Amino acid sequence: AELVVNPAPAGTPTPPVDLPVEARVSVEEVSVEEVIVDAPAVATVEEPSSGAETTEEVLVMSPLFWTSLRYEALDQLEKAAVDAGQSAEPWERLLAQVVAAQDLDRLTRLARHLRQKRPFGDHVRRLIEAHLARLREDYTAALRIYTSGLATAPGHAALLGGLARCALYLGDEAALTNALKTLDETGGESADASYVRGTVAAGEDRAARALEHLQICVRNVPDIDAMVGMAGLLAQHNLLGDAERSLRFALNVSPQHPGVLDILGVVLYRSNKTTEAVRVFDKALGIAPNAWGTMLHLVELYRDTGETLKAAALMRTLRAQRDQLDEDLREVLDDLTAGSGTIDD
Protein backbone atom coordinates (compact mmCIF):
# COMPACT_ATOMS: atom_id res chain seq x y z
CA ALA A 1 0.00 0.00 0.00
CA GLU A 2 1.11 3.54 -0.73
CA LEU A 3 0.22 6.74 1.07
CA VAL A 4 -1.74 8.86 -1.39
CA VAL A 5 -3.49 12.19 -1.51
CA ASN A 6 -7.02 12.34 -2.80
CA PRO A 7 -7.46 16.09 -3.33
CA ALA A 8 -11.22 16.19 -3.82
CA PRO A 9 -14.28 15.36 -1.71
CA ALA A 10 -16.08 12.08 -2.16
CA GLY A 11 -17.84 11.76 -5.48
CA THR A 12 -15.51 13.96 -7.53
CA PRO A 13 -13.61 12.57 -10.53
CA THR A 14 -10.14 13.59 -9.35
CA PRO A 15 -7.93 10.49 -9.05
CA PRO A 16 -5.71 9.73 -6.04
CA VAL A 17 -2.22 11.23 -6.32
CA ASP A 18 0.92 9.21 -5.55
CA LEU A 19 3.41 11.38 -3.71
CA PRO A 20 7.08 10.88 -4.66
CA VAL A 21 9.53 10.62 -1.80
CA GLU A 22 12.61 12.21 -3.34
CA ALA A 23 12.13 15.91 -2.63
CA ARG A 24 13.08 17.49 0.71
CA VAL A 25 11.59 20.92 1.21
CA SER A 26 11.20 23.64 3.80
CA VAL A 27 8.18 25.90 3.80
CA GLU A 28 7.55 28.99 5.90
CA GLU A 29 4.22 29.51 7.65
CA VAL A 30 1.57 31.44 5.77
CA SER A 31 -0.73 33.96 7.45
CA VAL A 32 -4.18 35.03 6.35
CA GLU A 33 -4.49 38.83 6.41
CA GLU A 34 -7.62 40.94 6.49
CA VAL A 35 -7.23 42.97 3.30
CA ILE A 36 -7.89 41.98 -0.29
CA VAL A 37 -5.08 42.91 -2.65
CA ASP A 38 -4.44 42.52 -6.37
CA ALA A 39 -4.87 39.08 -7.89
CA PRO A 40 -1.81 36.86 -7.48
CA ALA A 41 0.09 35.30 -10.34
CA VAL A 42 -1.19 31.94 -11.55
CA ALA A 43 0.73 28.82 -12.45
CA THR A 44 2.43 28.53 -15.80
CA VAL A 45 3.27 25.52 -17.91
CA GLU A 46 6.69 24.69 -19.27
CA GLU A 47 6.47 23.00 -22.64
CA PRO A 48 8.69 19.93 -23.09
CA SER A 49 11.88 20.68 -24.99
CA SER A 50 12.20 19.57 -28.59
CA GLY A 51 13.06 15.93 -28.86
CA ALA A 52 11.60 15.15 -25.46
CA GLU A 53 10.17 11.67 -25.15
CA THR A 54 7.14 12.78 -23.15
CA THR A 55 4.48 15.43 -23.61
CA GLU A 56 3.57 15.56 -19.93
CA GLU A 57 2.92 19.03 -18.56
CA VAL A 58 5.43 20.52 -16.15
CA LEU A 59 3.77 22.73 -13.55
CA VAL A 60 5.52 25.83 -12.30
CA MET A 61 4.01 27.46 -9.22
CA SER A 62 4.61 31.19 -8.94
CA PRO A 63 6.34 32.08 -5.65
CA LEU A 64 4.13 35.18 -5.50
CA PHE A 65 0.84 33.35 -5.25
CA TRP A 66 0.58 32.76 -1.51
CA THR A 67 2.44 35.87 -0.42
CA SER A 68 0.08 38.11 -2.38
CA LEU A 69 -3.13 36.37 -1.30
CA ARG A 70 -5.32 38.15 1.25
CA TYR A 71 -8.92 37.85 2.49
CA GLU A 72 -11.18 40.16 4.38
CA ALA A 73 -12.00 39.09 7.93
CA LEU A 74 -15.37 37.34 8.18
CA ASP A 75 -16.39 39.52 11.12
CA GLN A 76 -15.91 42.64 9.02
CA LEU A 77 -17.82 41.15 6.10
CA GLU A 78 -20.65 40.14 8.41
CA LYS A 79 -20.89 43.63 9.90
CA ALA A 80 -20.97 45.14 6.41
CA ALA A 81 -23.76 42.77 5.38
CA VAL A 82 -25.86 43.47 8.46
CA ASP A 83 -25.36 47.23 8.04
CA ALA A 84 -26.29 47.07 4.35
CA GLY A 85 -29.99 46.73 5.04
CA GLN A 86 -31.87 45.80 1.87
CA SER A 87 -28.77 45.22 -0.29
CA ALA A 88 -28.20 41.57 -1.26
CA GLU A 89 -24.68 41.96 -2.65
CA PRO A 90 -22.84 42.20 0.71
CA TRP A 91 -24.68 39.11 1.93
CA GLU A 92 -23.76 37.15 -1.19
CA ARG A 93 -20.13 38.17 -0.78
CA LEU A 94 -20.16 37.10 2.87
CA LEU A 95 -21.86 33.79 2.15
CA ALA A 96 -19.31 32.92 -0.54
CA GLN A 97 -16.48 33.38 1.96
CA VAL A 98 -18.21 31.50 4.78
CA VAL A 99 -19.12 28.41 2.75
CA ALA A 100 -15.65 28.28 1.19
CA ALA A 101 -14.10 28.29 4.67
CA GLN A 102 -16.58 25.57 5.72
CA ASP A 103 -17.63 27.61 8.76
CA LEU A 104 -20.84 25.76 9.55
CA ASP A 105 -21.40 27.45 12.92
CA ARG A 106 -21.29 30.94 11.41
CA LEU A 107 -23.43 29.90 8.47
CA THR A 108 -26.06 28.43 10.81
CA ARG A 109 -26.18 31.65 12.80
CA LEU A 110 -26.49 33.75 9.63
CA ALA A 111 -29.31 31.53 8.42
CA ARG A 112 -31.24 32.14 11.64
CA HIS A 113 -30.74 35.88 11.23
CA LEU A 114 -32.02 35.88 7.66
CA ARG A 115 -35.03 33.75 8.55
CA GLN A 116 -36.05 36.37 11.10
CA LYS A 117 -35.25 39.48 9.07
CA ARG A 118 -35.94 38.42 5.47
CA PRO A 119 -34.44 41.72 4.29
CA PHE A 120 -34.39 41.01 0.56
CA GLY A 121 -35.13 38.60 -2.29
CA ASP A 122 -35.97 34.95 -1.89
CA HIS A 123 -32.87 33.83 -3.82
CA VAL A 124 -30.55 34.84 -0.95
CA ARG A 125 -32.55 32.77 1.51
CA ARG A 126 -32.40 29.82 -0.90
CA LEU A 127 -28.67 30.37 -1.35
CA ILE A 128 -27.92 30.16 2.37
CA GLU A 129 -30.20 27.15 2.91
CA ALA A 130 -28.49 25.34 0.03
CA HIS A 131 -25.07 26.22 1.46
CA LEU A 132 -26.14 24.80 4.82
CA ALA A 133 -27.20 21.51 3.26
CA ARG A 134 -23.93 21.38 1.35
CA LEU A 135 -21.73 21.87 4.42
CA ARG A 136 -23.76 19.14 6.12
CA GLU A 137 -22.87 16.94 3.12
CA ASP A 138 -26.51 16.54 2.10
CA TYR A 139 -25.67 17.23 -1.52
CA THR A 140 -28.98 15.97 -2.89
CA ALA A 141 -30.94 18.47 -0.78
CA ALA A 142 -28.48 21.23 -1.61
CA LEU A 143 -28.83 20.55 -5.33
CA ARG A 144 -32.62 20.74 -5.03
CA ILE A 145 -32.48 24.06 -3.15
CA TYR A 146 -29.99 25.63 -5.55
CA THR A 147 -32.29 24.59 -8.40
CA SER A 148 -35.36 26.09 -6.72
CA GLY A 149 -33.46 29.32 -6.15
CA LEU A 150 -32.73 29.57 -9.86
CA ALA A 151 -36.48 29.55 -10.52
CA THR A 152 -36.66 32.98 -8.88
CA ALA A 153 -33.24 34.23 -10.01
CA PRO A 154 -32.41 32.64 -13.39
CA GLY A 155 -28.75 32.78 -14.31
CA HIS A 156 -27.62 33.75 -10.80
CA ALA A 157 -23.89 32.90 -10.74
CA ALA A 158 -23.63 31.84 -7.08
CA LEU A 159 -26.64 29.54 -7.34
CA LEU A 160 -25.36 28.02 -10.59
CA GLY A 161 -21.90 27.53 -9.14
CA GLY A 162 -23.26 25.84 -6.03
CA LEU A 163 -25.49 23.64 -8.18
CA ALA A 164 -22.51 22.64 -10.33
CA ARG A 165 -20.44 21.78 -7.26
CA CYS A 166 -23.13 19.54 -5.77
CA ALA A 167 -23.70 17.92 -9.15
CA LEU A 168 -19.97 17.19 -9.26
CA TYR A 169 -20.05 15.59 -5.81
CA LEU A 170 -23.09 13.52 -6.78
CA GLY A 171 -21.73 12.51 -10.18
CA ASP A 172 -24.72 14.14 -11.93
CA GLU A 173 -23.07 14.88 -15.27
CA ALA A 174 -26.22 16.32 -16.88
CA ALA A 175 -26.81 18.87 -14.12
CA LEU A 176 -23.10 19.72 -14.05
CA THR A 177 -22.91 20.28 -17.80
CA ASN A 178 -26.10 22.37 -17.87
CA ALA A 179 -24.93 24.60 -15.01
CA LEU A 180 -21.54 25.30 -16.57
CA LYS A 181 -23.13 25.87 -19.97
CA THR A 182 -25.52 28.42 -18.49
CA LEU A 183 -22.64 30.21 -16.81
CA ASP A 184 -20.81 30.34 -20.13
CA GLU A 185 -23.88 31.70 -21.91
CA THR A 186 -24.62 34.37 -19.31
CA GLY A 187 -21.01 35.37 -18.74
CA GLY A 188 -21.40 34.65 -15.05
CA GLU A 189 -18.74 33.10 -12.86
CA SER A 190 -18.29 32.17 -9.23
CA ALA A 191 -15.65 30.65 -7.01
CA ASP A 192 -17.64 27.40 -6.91
CA ALA A 193 -17.65 27.28 -10.71
CA SER A 194 -13.88 27.77 -10.80
CA TYR A 195 -13.47 24.93 -8.31
CA VAL A 196 -15.66 22.67 -10.43
CA ARG A 197 -13.82 23.52 -13.65
CA GLY A 198 -10.52 22.83 -11.93
CA THR A 199 -11.62 19.52 -10.50
CA VAL A 200 -13.05 18.36 -13.82
CA ALA A 201 -9.81 19.33 -15.59
CA ALA A 202 -7.82 17.38 -12.98
CA GLY A 203 -9.96 14.33 -13.64
CA GLU A 204 -9.14 14.69 -17.34
CA ASP A 205 -5.39 14.87 -16.57
CA ARG A 206 -5.16 18.52 -17.65
CA ALA A 207 -3.09 19.52 -14.66
CA ALA A 208 -2.09 23.04 -15.73
CA ARG A 209 -5.66 24.02 -16.57
CA ALA A 210 -6.87 22.46 -13.34
CA LEU A 211 -4.35 24.37 -11.25
CA GLU A 212 -5.22 27.62 -13.02
CA HIS A 213 -8.93 27.26 -12.21
CA LEU A 214 -8.28 26.23 -8.61
CA GLN A 215 -6.02 29.24 -8.15
CA ILE A 216 -8.77 31.52 -9.48
CA CYS A 217 -11.11 30.01 -6.90
CA VAL A 218 -8.63 30.48 -4.04
CA ARG A 219 -7.83 34.00 -5.18
CA ASN A 220 -11.46 34.97 -4.59
CA VAL A 221 -12.44 32.97 -1.50
CA PRO A 222 -10.61 30.86 1.15
CA ASP A 223 -11.84 27.60 -0.38
CA ILE A 224 -10.39 24.73 1.65
CA ASP A 225 -11.23 22.03 -0.89
CA ALA A 226 -9.61 24.05 -3.67
CA MET A 227 -6.44 24.44 -1.61
CA VAL A 228 -6.41 20.69 -1.00
CA GLY A 229 -6.99 20.08 -4.71
CA MET A 230 -4.05 22.33 -5.54
CA ALA A 231 -1.90 20.42 -3.08
CA GLY A 232 -2.76 17.13 -4.76
CA LEU A 233 -1.85 18.44 -8.20
CA LEU A 234 1.39 20.00 -6.99
CA ALA A 235 2.40 16.84 -5.14
CA GLN A 236 1.68 14.78 -8.23
CA HIS A 237 4.26 16.89 -10.05
CA ASN A 238 6.79 16.58 -7.20
CA LEU A 239 6.30 20.17 -6.05
CA LEU A 240 6.04 19.07 -2.44
CA GLY A 241 7.05 22.43 -1.00
CA ASP A 242 4.22 24.14 -2.84
CA ALA A 243 1.83 21.35 -1.84
CA GLU A 244 2.78 21.80 1.81
CA ARG A 245 2.32 25.54 1.59
CA SER A 246 -1.16 25.11 0.10
CA LEU A 247 -2.18 22.80 2.95
CA ARG A 248 -0.75 25.08 5.62
CA PHE A 249 -2.73 27.95 4.16
CA ALA A 250 -5.85 25.79 4.36
CA LEU A 251 -5.08 25.14 8.02
CA ASN A 252 -4.88 28.87 8.65
CA VAL A 253 -8.45 29.04 7.39
CA SER A 254 -9.57 26.00 9.43
CA PRO A 255 -6.90 24.95 11.97
CA GLN A 256 -8.84 21.95 13.30
CA HIS A 257 -9.72 20.39 9.92
CA PRO A 258 -8.78 16.68 10.31
CA GLY A 259 -8.90 15.97 6.58
CA VAL A 260 -6.40 18.71 5.76
CA LEU A 261 -4.16 17.59 8.63
CA ASP A 262 -4.23 14.03 7.30
CA ILE A 263 -3.17 15.09 3.81
CA LEU A 264 -0.48 17.39 5.22
CA GLY A 265 0.86 14.41 7.14
CA VAL A 266 1.16 12.44 3.90
CA VAL A 267 2.99 15.29 2.18
CA LEU A 268 5.36 15.73 5.13
CA TYR A 269 6.12 12.02 5.22
CA ARG A 270 6.82 11.89 1.50
CA SER A 271 9.10 14.90 2.03
CA ASN A 272 11.10 12.85 4.58
CA LYS A 273 9.80 14.95 7.48
CA THR A 274 8.79 11.90 9.48
CA THR A 275 8.73 13.39 12.98
CA GLU A 276 6.53 16.28 11.90
CA ALA A 277 4.29 13.92 9.93
CA VAL A 278 3.66 11.82 13.04
CA ARG A 279 2.81 14.95 15.02
CA VAL A 280 0.32 16.06 12.36
CA PHE A 281 -1.30 12.61 12.09
CA ASP A 282 -1.63 12.48 15.89
CA LYS A 283 -3.28 15.90 15.91
CA ALA A 284 -5.75 14.76 13.24
CA LEU A 285 -6.64 11.66 15.27
CA GLY A 286 -7.01 13.77 18.40
CA ILE A 287 -9.68 15.79 16.59
CA ALA A 288 -11.30 12.84 14.78
CA PRO A 289 -10.47 9.57 16.62
CA ASN A 290 -12.44 7.53 14.08
CA ALA A 291 -10.51 8.85 11.07
CA TRP A 292 -9.60 5.38 9.87
CA GLY A 293 -7.79 6.64 6.78
CA THR A 294 -5.46 8.72 8.93
CA MET A 295 -4.85 5.70 11.15
CA LEU A 296 -3.93 3.62 8.10
CA HIS A 297 -1.48 6.30 7.00
CA LEU A 298 0.12 6.22 10.44
CA VAL A 299 0.33 2.42 10.34
CA GLU A 300 2.27 2.54 7.10
CA LEU A 301 4.55 5.27 8.39
CA TYR A 302 5.36 3.23 11.50
CA ARG A 303 5.86 0.10 9.43
CA ASP A 304 8.20 1.84 7.01
CA THR A 305 10.24 3.38 9.84
CA GLY A 306 10.56 0.10 11.71
CA GLU A 307 8.31 0.99 14.65
CA THR A 308 6.49 -2.33 14.49
CA LEU A 309 4.95 -2.28 17.98
CA LYS A 310 3.19 1.01 17.29
CA ALA A 311 2.06 -0.26 13.89
CA ALA A 312 0.77 -3.50 15.42
CA ALA A 313 -1.28 -1.65 18.06
CA LEU A 314 -2.98 0.47 15.41
CA MET A 315 -3.58 -2.56 13.20
CA ARG A 316 -5.40 -4.34 16.04
CA THR A 317 -7.67 -1.30 16.42
CA LEU A 318 -8.34 -1.18 12.70
CA ARG A 319 -9.11 -4.88 12.44
CA ALA A 320 -11.58 -4.56 15.28
CA GLN A 321 -13.33 -1.76 13.38
CA ARG A 322 -13.07 -3.34 9.92
CA ASP A 323 -16.83 -3.33 9.35
CA GLN A 324 -16.88 0.46 9.78
CA LEU A 325 -14.35 1.02 7.00
CA ASP A 326 -15.48 1.73 3.48
CA GLU A 327 -14.49 -0.63 0.69
CA ASP A 328 -11.35 1.26 -0.31
CA LEU A 329 -10.03 1.45 3.25
CA ARG A 330 -10.76 -2.23 3.84
CA GLU A 331 -8.69 -3.02 0.76
CA VAL A 332 -5.79 -0.93 2.10
CA LEU A 333 -6.10 -2.63 5.48
CA ASP A 334 -6.05 -6.07 3.86
CA ASP A 335 -3.00 -5.14 1.77
CA LEU A 336 -1.16 -3.95 4.86
CA THR A 337 -2.10 -7.11 6.71
CA ALA A 338 -0.97 -9.37 3.88
CA GLY A 339 2.26 -7.53 3.13
CA SER A 340 3.34 -6.21 6.51
CA GLY A 341 5.52 -9.11 7.55
CA THR A 342 6.51 -7.55 10.85
CA ILE A 343 3.06 -6.48 12.04
CA ASP A 344 1.76 -8.97 14.59
CA ASP A 345 -1.87 -10.03 14.89
Side-chain angles (χ1 to χ4, degrees), residues 215-230:
Q215 285 181 314
I216 292 171
C217 175
V218 171
R219 182 187 68 198
N220 291 307
V221 297
D223 194 300
I224 293 173
D225 287 341
M227 294 173 191
V228 170
M230 287 174 58

Side-chain angles (χ1 to χ4, degrees), residues 59-70:
L59 296 187
V60 179
M61 184 75 179
S62 168
L64 300 177
F65 183 81
W66 296 111
T67 57
S68 61
L69 191 62
R70 303 289 186 271

Side-chain angles (χ1 to χ4, degrees), residues 44-121:
T44 59
V45 183
E46 291 183 352
E47 296 294 337
S49 59
S50 59
E53 296 182 359
T54 179
T55 58
E56 183 179 358
E57 296 173 319
V58 179
L59 296 187
V60 179
M61 184 75 179
S62 168
L64 300 177
F65 183 81
W66 296 111
T67 57
S68 61
L69 191 62
R70 303 289 186 271
Y71 302 115
E72 286 186 282
L74 290 179
D75 287 344
Q76 293 180 1
L77 287 172
E78 183 174 343
K79 183 178 185 303
V82 172
D83 293 344
Q86 295 297 314
S87 176
E89 190 277 333
W91 280 98
E92 292 181 14
R93 185 179 179 189
L94 169 64
L95 294 178
Q97 302 278 331
V98 172
V99 72
Q102 301 181 16
D103 191 340
L104 181 57
D105 290 341
R106 185 184 295 264
L107 190 62
T108 301
R109 177 166 50 78
L110 293 174
R112 286 198 298 266
H113 174 82
L114 290 183
R115 289 177 192 135
Q116 296 169 356
K117 301 296 183 181
R118 295 180 176 269
F120 30 61

